[in-house]
Amino acid sequence: MIDRNNLKIRPIIGLEIHVQLATKSKMFCSCPVEFGAEPNSNVCPVCLGMPGVLPVMNRSAVEYAIRTAIALNCQIAGFTKWDRKSYYYPDLPKNYQISQYDLPLSFDGSFDVPTGEGQTRRVGIIRAHLEEDAGKNIHDNPSITQVDLNRTGTPLLEIVTEPDLQSADEAFTFCTELQRLVTYLGVSEGSMQKGQMRFEPNVNVIIEYEGLEYRTPISEVKNLNSFKAVRSAIAYEIERQVNDWIADRDYVIDKRPKENRGWNDEKGITEFQRGKEEAHDYRYFPDPDLVPVAIDETWLEKIKASVGELPVNRQKRMKHEYALSEADVVTILHDKASADLFEAAAGMGHAVTLGKQFISFWSAKANELKCTIAELGIDTDRMGELSKITAEGKINATAAAQIAEMMFDRPDPPFKIAVDQGLVQVKDENQMQVWVDEAFTANQKAVKDAIGNPKKQKQARGFLAGQVMKISGGKADPKIVGKLIEEKLTGMDSN
Ligand code: ZN
Ligand code: MN
């Protein structure tokens, strides 16, 4: 038996991704694209594949696809056409899917994926083409299968990468970055819950053993619908393939066919579905009902102008412009609407303070309500003003968090709330001295520790400051409080 520890393993991973485009209507008919509608309510003779009907291309879908392809550094075809991919399945009423075969809309691109510590992995994009989705088989009732054709004909962008990814984590990051890209471009909602992004990794490994290289057969894991499943399925596949090779040295690419496998989320394993012998022959041929698409320079320039700032560039710019940490800028850029809100509010408020408030109470509130910060519905002016009055010292950080909470119930400007609630910071040193004295009298033990106990000094001083803030009802200026506490302690120390 070969010892696993003597092997050098290099995973080779490529991805095939289907992204649902955010058009109002379907790819080749005017039926609405709508999630959660009554089954088979958004259908017509075209998407049901009735004889004699004529499909008409959705121009927005083509523009969304080209916008994405540009962002993925792809070449855009000047001329592209539609092909029929034939197969039989209950969720495909026409018995063929309209797709693109030999002349895809775009090809030869790349996408840079951060791999940590400022490094990136450049992943080649082989092609990105348009096609229509199939319907959905429903197995809710164990004795029958039902078919919902609402999804039939929904526009999909299929993106195929080169096998450039080298770990499950890299593939995970690729998928999350792609989601951020398509949502920033406004071409897809990118919702996992609604099945708008589906992933199919191709995985095999190069095993180095006693100076020789062995390649395991490629397996394709079908239809993953979460980032977590992508990472888990790839990690599982890498280990499975190495173990299968250890058990059978003929488990190599030249001697075994490519496999299709399915991910069993409950068991955390992939399961064999079919080998190459049974692979489909799709009998592709040009769709005679659809005219080819010519993409001229004028059209292309117009779409290029709609691409906007890409999330990766925006991240770099905002990090510098607002002096944010890498982690904070990622939080703020979570979704485009929240990032837009941040920049607009920063313009009328105080950017650095807003950054802190964004990642503390605003994002905590969004997490609590399971929405984005933009979806909290706090308008730009008030969010900006809150950061401004905090930065100017009119209120302290604790009061800011309290006011933020109240802003959900009151439409008033934050400063008005501060005045009404008596949260405007007291700058009067005499008043603060009274509070400090009061806190010292009430907490003799902490005072003793703050002077005499080197181990507890820092903690005790922090405790005293907290007590002063409490006595002041959150109105004291923490900076001045800190100063007064130090002065008082120094005075006592020398006694
Ligand atoms: Zn239709
Ligand atoms: Mn496809």
Side-chain angles (χ1 to χ4, degrees):
M1 193 75 167
I2 294 167
D3 185 351
R4 170 75 168 79
N5 297 317
N6 295 335
L7 306 177
K8 238 179 104 186
I9 310 295
R10 190 151 62 83
I12 312 169
I13 304 155
L15 290 168
E16 207 179 292
I17 302 147
H18 288 86
V19 179
Q20 180 179 324
L21 298 177
T23 53
K24 291 192 184 72
S25 57
K26 293 186 182 180
M27 189 65 232
F28 299 108
C29 65
S30 58
C31 290
V33 176
E34 195 184 358
F35 183 78
E38 178 77 11
N40 300 307
S41 59
N42 292 334
V43 292
C44 74
V46 175
C47 54
L48 289 177
M50 299 293 183
V53 296
L54 280 179
V56 178
M57 180 193 90
N58 183 330
R59 192 179 167 93
S60 292
V62 177
E63 290 182 351
Y64 286 177
I66 295 175
R67 194 188 292 168
T68 314
I70 292 168
L72 292 172
N73 299 304
C74 286
Q75 306 285 315
I76 310 296
F79 179 89
T80 183
K81 69 173 173 70
W82 306 100
D83 300 284
R84 291 183 177 183
K85 179 181 180 179
S86 311
Y87 65 98
Y88 175 82
Y89 206 65
D91 65 10
L92 189 75
K94 295 200 294 284
N95 292 339
Y96 62 83
Q97 175 194 30
I98 305 176
S99 181
Q100 301 197 285
Y101 184 51
D102 53 340
L103 294 175
L105 181 86
S106 65
F107 48 90
D108 281 354
S110 68
F111 191 45
D112 289 344
V113 179
T115 51
E117 287 155 28
Q119 304 286 105
T120 54
R121 167 94 53 224
R122 177 153 293 180
V123 180
I125 305 292
I126 297 172
R127 58 188 280 159
H129 71 251
L130 263 170
E131 60 186 31
E132 55 174 354
D133 206 350
K136 200 177 169 190
N137 290 338
I138 300 166
H139 309 283
D140 292 348
N141 183 331
S143 60
I144 53 163
T145 291
Q146 293 168 299
V147 189
D148 178 6
L149 296 173
N150 280 347
R151 210 177 65 183
T152 312
T154 298
L156 298 178
L157 184 65
E158 178 178 323
I159 300 165
V160 185
T161 80
E162 295 279 2
D164 290 339
L165 294 155
Q166 295 186 6
S167 71
D169 283 339
E170 280 184 22
F172 178 90
T173 310
F174 182 98
C175 295
T176 55
E177 282 293 320
L178 185 71
Q179 183 201 39
R180 190 164 78 152
L181 181 75
V182 295
T183 53
Y184 265 74
L185 291 171
V187 300
S188 174
E189 266 183 67
S191 162
M192 300 293 135
Q193 290 74 26
K194 296 180 188 170
Q196 293 177 343
M197 287 181 88
R198 305 198 291 270
F199 310 95
E200 298 184 330
N202 276 264
V203 185
N204 70 334
V205 290
I206 298 175
I207 300 169
E208 221 183 284
Y209 177 61
E210 291 181 340
L212 289 172
E213 275 191 2
Y214 304 86
R215 275 170 194 254
T216 54
I218 298 169
S219 69
E220 181 170 334
V221 188
K222 304 303 285 183
N223 228 358
L224 301 173
N225 51 20
S226 78
F227 301 134
K228 197 169 147 269
V230 170
R231 177 154 60 193
S232 308
I234 293 172
Y236 177 85
E237 263 309 291
I238 292 167
E239 286 313 303
R240 180 197 64 79
Q241 293 185 14
V242 172
N243 290 333
D244 281 8
W245 178 83
I246 291 173
D248 170 10
R249 297 282 295 277
D250 277 346
Y251 192 72
V252 287
I253 196 161
D254 304 330
K255 297 184 180 169
R256 294 281 189 277
K258 183 179 170 176
E259 295 178 13
N260 277 357
R261 301 182 72 93
W263 173 242
N264 184 324
D265 206 37
E266 267 163 47
K267 292 186 188 163
I269 59 169
T270 65
E271 293 162 328
F272 180 81
Q273 288 177 333
R274 60 178 160 85
K276 200 184 174 186
E277 302 82 43
E278 303 161 65
H280 284 297
D281 172 8
Y282 291 117
R283 290 166 291 125
Y284 279 101
F285 69 95
D287 192 307
D289 292 340
L290 282 158
V291 289
V293 187
I295 300 152
D296 61 33
E297 274 307 308
T298 328
W299 194 21
L300 193 56
E301 285 308 315
K302 204 187 120 210
I303 299 168
K304 268 184 191 162
S306 75
V307 172
E309 188 180 24
L310 298 181
V312 58
N313 298 334
R314 191 169 187 183
Q315 186 167 323
K316 273 187 212 141
R317 176 180 63 75
M318 284 178 63
K319 194 180 161 197
H320 288 281
E321 205 170 318
Y322 304 109
L324 296 160
S325 74
E326 191 72 31
D328 293 352
V329 77
V330 167
T331 305
I332 293 168
L333 285 165
H334 171 269
D335 60 280
K336 185 168 184 289
S338 299
D340 290 348
L341 171 65
F342 176 86
E343 292 212 81
M348 50 186 59
H350 186 272
V352 175
T353 309
L354 179 65
K356 285 181 192 148
Q357 299 182 339
F358 228 72
I359 57 147
S360 58
F361 52 77
W362 292 128
S363 79
K365 193 72 187 173
N367 279 340
E368 183 195 322
L369 298 176
K370 292 191 169 58
C371 66
T372 65
I373 294 177
E375 284 164 355
L376 289 172
I378 300 292
D379 54 280
T380 318
D381 302 33
R382 296 205 303 154
M383 196 173 265
E385 190 196 310
L386 184 65
S387 70
K388 193 160 172 253
I389 60 175
T390 314
E392 286 168 349
K394 287 182 178 148
I395 56 169
N396 62 41
T398 320
Q402 288 172 260
I403 293 167
E405 191 64 43
M406 288 180 246
M407 283 163 71
F408 290 96
D409 305 317
R410 294 181 54 172
D412 307 301
F415 190 66
K416 185 169 187 313
I417 299 177
V419 172
D420 290 353
Q421 300 291 318
L423 288 169
V424 176
Q425 194 154 263
V426 171
K427 297 257 179 198
D428 177 358
E429 283 204 21
N430 294 331
Q431 174 61 64
M432 269 185 274
Q433 189 66 57
V434 173
W435 290 330
V436 169
D437 293 345
E438 202 178 308
F440 272 55
T441 313
N443 301 282
Q444 298 288 340
K445 168 95 171 60
V447 174
K448 231 182 241 168
D449 287 344
I451 304 169
N453 190 337
K455 274 186 193 162
K456 290 187 174 170
Q457 230 170 49
K458 217 180 147 196
Q459 197 195 347
R461 282 165 199 232
F463 174 77
L464 286 169
Q467 290 306 303
V468 178
M469 292 309 291
K470 209 172 152 190
I471 294 166
S472 79
K475 284 186 290 192
D477 181 331
K479 269 195 206 125
I480 300 175
V481 168
K483 190 193 78 170
L484 293 176
I485 287 176
E486 287 309 312
E487 283 171 8
K488 195 171 168 81
L489 288 171
T490 313
M492 293 169 98
D493 209 11
S494 55
N495 282 345

